[in-house]
Amino acid sequence: MDRDKALTLLQSAVGDPAATFKEDQWEAIDALVNHRKRLLVVQHTGWGKSSIYFLSTKIFRQQNFGPTIIISPLLALMNNQIETAKRFNVVAGSFNSTNWGERGALTEKVLNNEIDCLLISPERLSDDWFMSTIFSRICKKIALLVIDEAHCISVWGHDFRPDYGRIIDILQLLPADAAVVATTATATQPVIDDLKSQLGELHIIRGSLYRESLALQTMKIADPAFQLAWLAKNIPKLEGCGIMYVLRRREAEEMVKWLNYNNVKADLYHGQLSDYTHRQRLENRLLNNELKVLVATSALGMGFDKPDLGFVIHSQAPESVITYYQQVGRAGRGIDYAVGILMLGTKEEDIHEYFRRTALPSETDIRKIVQALEENNGLTLYDIKSQVNMRQDKIEKTLKYLSAEKPAPIKKDGNMWYRMPVPFNMNSSEFKGLSLTLRREKEWKRVLDYIDHPGCKMNFLQEELDDPGVPIACGKCNSCVQRLIVDEPVDADLEEAAKFFLTNPDITIPPFKYENSFELLEPICLLPAYTSPISFSSYPFREELAAAPGRALSLWGDAGWSEIVRKDKYINNHFSDLLCDATANMIGGRWKPDPFPAYVCCVPSKDHPNLVPSFAQRLASKLGLPFVNAIDQIADKEPQKDQHNSVHQRKNLDGVFKVTQLAHGPVLLVDDIVDSGLTLATVAALLREANSQKYEVYPVALIKLR
């Protein structure tokens, strides 16, 4: 294929007979279609990386090759790519969680050679059905493999998405001369090293990452209340609409409530939104300028394209410069001026340290899983949970990690996991974990260096991302102009309102749910019908024994009451009257459960017999209610916090509590800490079963862990 014919295809795709290739675009296409190279394309967002692989796909299809395979990390990105493919008259399809019920029709199209490119997530590479039914039957006709957003191999692939490690397996199944292209806007040397470990030697085409439209600002804010006040004051002053990135869902929820309270139109976007239609609706609200700001975790990113996005704010600093550049780069793509604000608060260090510590399974977790599988001839996930006292998400992470090893010491067949007859090198796993931790610590330090950097912020990002261009000071960032580019003064009343907001949250304790649908066929709150004392193994599930939604005074690690609760529990062994007053105000002032409780009782504990009862008695007095010692602990148990999945949590509560005294009417059921919610749910069910009127039970806790 010569350049003129390829240019004609481009002009036809974009509907512009005067369109020309951008610098390096033809060189990339030529390297793929004429020389079958393995290529890394590093170009800024909006340069046209998708044009490279869609035009190459058209050329290969004209030469009677099979479909291009595109490995893409996010569903939103896949849908964006499918829409882009239409403009190139390329027929694209994808196997994903939203269309799994329609896979039969798509399978038929793929096998009948009616699909030009097939988009898949890296997890599809571990799907036996896909590999045997689809990939094995088309792989010898594939001329092009695309790894889009290839930095994810390095940023996500070691821990969050270990199935990226399977790319090397499918390369061995492709024709020897198949072309490969990895595309990204960010490729530091560690990213390139990871790509080479998967793809072999790469020909690199790299352009400048300089973003002329972006004005960058960094801020250190030690007071959470001041940060909230600053954001409420300054966001309305920013042009257009934008995105605010936070690290966790809990901060996102808090931020949306605060902004809406201050008449800033905001909504919430996070990875736990299981309804894809709802995600699309949120994205469309931002695209249509119906929101001032969409508060999001990293779940909103690649694949979202709003050319006139006016600002991106990070109210919490991300884990790496790569992540920051990718996210702030959503702003100012099609406008002359946009703002990127990065804030460093007080929580990020602990959050990122936790993320680093849990990035890979621990040696203990790995040994537990391997031993359980060695001692049994196949186990389901439920079986593993029964034998191994680990959180379900940790079990699943460990299983995925082990199954992605080379060679894999375990394998899944149907719903069963088996130990394979291959050795497993624990030392190699420990080295990998240490290496990843050290690398992530270095990446975080560079984020801190960026925040403190006295020179041009854009130049720092370019140098950190190995931009080959000559750095030219942007003249727009707060370092270049020697002042904050956005800094509307905050008045004292607004800051005081923010302090009140932080210490008066609305934290719901929802009715208890089991971890997955395997244990509970209906995704609603159902609780065991027990006699006293409880025995989970002998009774069916009955919804009428469920507790009502309850309330917690604080979230673990929040900027409100969390630290006081922690000190009172673990150091003072006494909950202060200050917490008692705050809880009474929460119940009688903001919550006001209806019907209002007639009395107060609490969850007993043999280990700390006075801690919660003393608090509950004082709380009852402040609410003008009687305290009733309604529940007794009649058997010893291990600390519930040491039971890490629902199977062990349920077993640990068998026969432990008994109703000893009842009063008439609804009741407040008090405990200090709620995590899974099973203890509160168990005691609530006992109270409701013992009372023929089935009065409401309202759980109350001082702190909620998650």
Side-chain angles (χ1 to χ4, degrees):
M1 172 67 69
D2 62 33
R3 189 181 190 280
D4 290 341
K5 290 181 180 178
L7 181 59
T8 300
L9 289 176
L10 173 68
Q11 292 167 343
S12 174
V14 301
D16 181 3
T20 60
F21 286 119
K22 294 181 180 178
E23 183 179 0
D24 294 330
Q25 281 186 329
W26 163 246
E27 287 73 11
I29 295 170
D30 179 52
L32 294 173
V33 300
N34 293 326
H35 303 284
R36 302 297 186 89
K37 289 187 176 181
R38 295 190 175 185
L39 190 64
L40 171 61
V41 176
V42 186
Q43 298 283 358
H44 66 78
T45 303
W47 175 83
K49 294 184 287 292
S50 61
S51 301
I52 300 302
Y53 50 78
F54 284 134
L55 285 174
S56 296
T57 295
K58 284 192 70 68
I59 294 168
F60 280 129
R61 292 291 282 168
Q62 289 175 356
Q63 297 172 355
N64 296 319
F65 285 100
T68 291
I69 298 292
I70 301 177
I71 299 174
S72 189
L74 295 175
L75 181 58
L77 181 58
M78 289 185 192
N79 288 329
N80 179 272
Q81 290 164 321
I82 289 173
E83 290 302 311
T84 303
K86 291 178 182 177
R87 296 199 294 269
F88 286 87
N89 198 27
V90 169
V91 180
S94 94
F95 289 99
N96 60 67
S97 57
T98 67
N99 67 1
W100 197 238
E102 305 164 12
R103 66 185 184 276
L106 180 57
T107 298
E108 185 176 350
K109 288 183 178 181
V110 173
L111 298 182
N112 289 337
N113 200 30
E114 298 171 7
I115 295 291
D116 296 323
C117 69
L118 187 62
L119 293 109
I120 60 172
S121 70
E123 284 73 21
R124 201 59 60 201
L125 303 179
S126 63
D127 181 346
D128 289 340
W129 175 87
F130 173 79
M131 294 302 292
S132 61
T133 304
I134 304 293
F135 191 81
S136 65
R137 298 166 71 177
I138 64 172
C139 61
K140 295 306 179 184
K141 288 282 289 179
I142 291 172
L144 178 62
L145 173 69
V146 179
I147 302 101
D148 200 23
E149 304 293 354
H151 63 280
C152 292
I153 285 180
S154 191
V155 175
W156 286 352
H158 298 283
D159 46 4
F160 183 51
R161 309 284 286 273
D163 284 305
Y164 271 110
R166 300 180 187 274
I167 292 175
I168 195 169
D169 295 333
I170 68 166
L171 282 174
Q172 296 171 1
L173 300 175
L174 298 179
D177 63 345
V180 179
V181 59
T183 64
T184 181
T186 51
T188 59
Q189 193 56 49
V191 171
I192 293 173
D193 291 342
D194 281 340
L195 285 166
K196 286 182 176 179
S197 71
Q198 296 273 357
L199 309 178
E201 282 303 312
L202 295 167
H203 177 66
I204 300 176
I205 294 178
R206 184 193 289 272
S208 174
L209 301 180
Y210 183 82
R211 291 292 306 281
E212 186 175 357
S213 66
L214 283 181
L216 301 172
Q217 173 173 306
T218 62
M219 306 173 68
K220 288 184 176 180
I221 300 181
D223 182 359
F226 177 80
Q227 183 187 48
L228 289 179
W230 191 96
L231 290 165
K233 187 74 171 181
N234 282 272
I235 288 177
K237 307 294 184 181
L238 296 172
E239 290 292 326
C241 57
I243 299 170
M244 181 189 298
Y245 282 106
V246 297
L247 294 177
R248 300 178 299 185
R249 175 181 173 179
R250 62 163 64 173
E251 283 87 7
E253 291 172 337
E254 178 183 77
M255 190 65 71
V256 168
K257 288 178 183 177
W258 166 252
L259 291 174
N260 284 328
Y261 177 77
N262 284 277
N263 299 313
V264 179
K265 293 188 70 173
D267 213 330
L268 174 66
Y269 193 106
H270 55 79
Q272 284 73 50
L273 293 173
S274 56
D275 183 355
Y276 181 69
T277 302
H278 181 49
R279 289 195 188 197
Q280 285 185 310
R281 187 160 55 247
L282 290 170
E283 292 178 18
N284 287 335
R285 290 192 70 194
L286 187 59
L287 288 169
N288 296 329
N289 301 315
E290 297 171 11
L291 296 171
K292 182 64 177 179
V293 61
L294 186 58
V295 182
T297 64
S298 59
L300 178 69
M302 295 167 289
F304 179 79
D305 185 14
K306 179 175 170 61
D308 62 341
L309 196 75
F311 61 89
V312 168
I313 298 172
H314 286 75
S315 63
Q316 295 176 306
E319 73 277 4
S320 71
V321 173
I322 287 180
T323 298
Y324 179 67
Y325 182 86
Q326 287 281 340
Q327 292 175 344
V328 76
R330 313 241 78 76
R333 294 182 178 183
I335 53 180
D336 294 334
Y337 185 85
V339 175
I341 300 172
L342 174 59
M343 296 177 162
L344 176 66
T346 58
K347 298 179 184 179
E348 291 95 321
E349 185 68 54
D350 290 341
I351 294 172
H352 289 307
E353 193 280 328
Y354 172 79
F355 287 162
R356 290 192 294 267
R357 189 175 72 249
T358 59
L360 294 177
S362 68
E363 176 185 350
T364 300
D365 291 347
I366 291 173
R367 291 190 185 280
K368 284 180 180 179
I369 296 295
V370 171
Q371 182 177 349
L373 292 174
E374 284 177 346
E375 294 173 353
N376 296 272
N377 183 26
L379 294 172
T380 65
L381 176 60
Y382 185 85
D383 295 333
I384 296 172
K385 287 171 60 178
S386 300
Q387 296 199 20
V388 180
N389 186 16
M390 289 168 54
R391 286 174 57 108
Q392 179 168 321
D393 57 351
K394 292 181 71 175
I395 292 174
E396 291 174 332
K397 175 185 278 191
T398 306
L399 291 170
K400 182 166 283 291
Y401 171 80
L402 289 170
S403 65
E405 285 290 281
K406 306 281 194 263
I410 67 172
K411 183 179 180 180
K412 187 178 183 183
D413 187 2
N415 68 340
M416 301 290 290
W417 288 93
Y418 296 92
R419 176 71 166 97
M420 302 302 291
V422 298
F424 177 67
N425 187 346
M426 183 63 70
N427 290 334
S428 173
S429 179
E430 292 171 357
F431 174 78
K432 185 186 296 184
L434 177 61
S435 175
L436 179 61
T437 298
L438 293 174
R439 177 167 150 187
R440 295 286 163 85
E441 287 174 349
K442 181 179 178 182
E443 289 172 346
W444 172 240
K445 182 181 182 300
R446 295 303 288 163
V447 173
L448 300 179
D449 290 342
Y450 168 73
I451 292 169
D452 289 333
H453 184 58
C456 176
K457 302 296 186 185
M458 182 60 71
N459 287 173
F460 183 99
L461 296 179
Q462 290 177 268
E463 292 173 4
E464 185 68 12
L465 298 171
D466 299 325
D467 190 323
V470 177
I472 301 173
C474 71
K476 295 181 178 180
C477 70
N478 64 284
S479 293
C480 285
V481 301
Q482 294 295 296
R483 59 174 174 79
L484 292 177
I485 55 178
V486 179
D487 192 27
E488 189 77 16
V490 173
D491 57 78
D493 288 345
L494 184 57
E495 190 170 355
E496 195 62 33
K499 291 178 181 177
F500 181 84
F501 174 81
L502 289 172
T503 53
N504 292 271
D506 183 21
I507 302 167
T508 300
I509 300 174
F512 178 79
K513 286 184 180 181
Y514 284 110
E515 289 173 344
N516 59 38
S517 58
F518 181 79
E519 295 178 69
L520 188 59
L521 296 180
E522 295 297 326
I524 57 176
C525 172
L526 301 178
L527 285 168
Y530 352 86
T531 57
S532 291
I534 178 177
S535 174
F536 278 99
S537 58
S538 305
Y539 296 91
F541 295 96
R542 282 176 35 203
E543 186 177 4
E544 65 267 23
L545 296 183
R551 293 293 187 276
L553 181 65
S554 61
L555 279 173
W556 187 267
D558 70 13
W561 296 103
S562 173
E563 184 61 17
I564 295 175
V565 175
R566 188 191 67 80
K567 286 182 178 178
D568 279 0
K569 178 175 175 66
Y570 295 109
I571 299 176
N572 301 329
N573 196 34
H574 175 78
F575 293 121
S576 66
D577 287 341
L578 185 66
L579 290 175
C580 200
D581 290 339
T583 307
N585 290 335
M586 174 187 72
I587 296 167
R590 302 190 305 280
W591 180 16
K592 297 178 181 177
D594 185 22
F596 201 78
Y599 68 103
V600 177
C601 72
C602 69
V603 177
S605 169
K606 287 190 173 184
D607 294 330
H608 302 281
N610 297 317
L611 182 63
V612 175
S614 169
F615 174 79
Q617 289 164 18
R618 286 177 285 137
L619 176 63
S621 177
K622 289 184 181 296
L623 292 170
L625 300 174
F627 175 80
V628 177
N629 191 19
I631 302 292
D632 190 20
Q633 182 176 334
I634 61 174
D636 292 330
K637 68 179 181 67
E638 296 297 319
Q640 194 68 1
K641 65 183 175 65
D642 294 337
Q643 313 309 309
H644 299 301
N645 65 56
S646 60
V647 177
H648 288 264
Q649 289 164 354
R650 285 154 49 191
K651 289 179 180 178
N652 196 50
L653 292 175
D654 274 3
V656 169
F657 298 114
K658 184 175 182 178
V659 176
T660 57
Q661 185 179 354
L662 279 175
H664 183 78
V667 56
L668 281 178
L669 175 59
V670 179
D671 205 354
D672 52 357
I673 295 178
V674 59
D675 186 7
S676 71
L678 183 57
T679 300
L680 283 168
T682 300
V683 176
L686 284 170
L687 288 167
R688 299 201 74 188
E689 183 194 43
N691 196 308
S692 61
Q693 299 297 315
K694 299 292 187 290
Y695 290 113
E696 294 283 15
V697 178
Y698 300 109
V700 175
L702 286 170
I703 198 164
K704 184 180 177 185
L705 295 186
R706 53 189 168 122

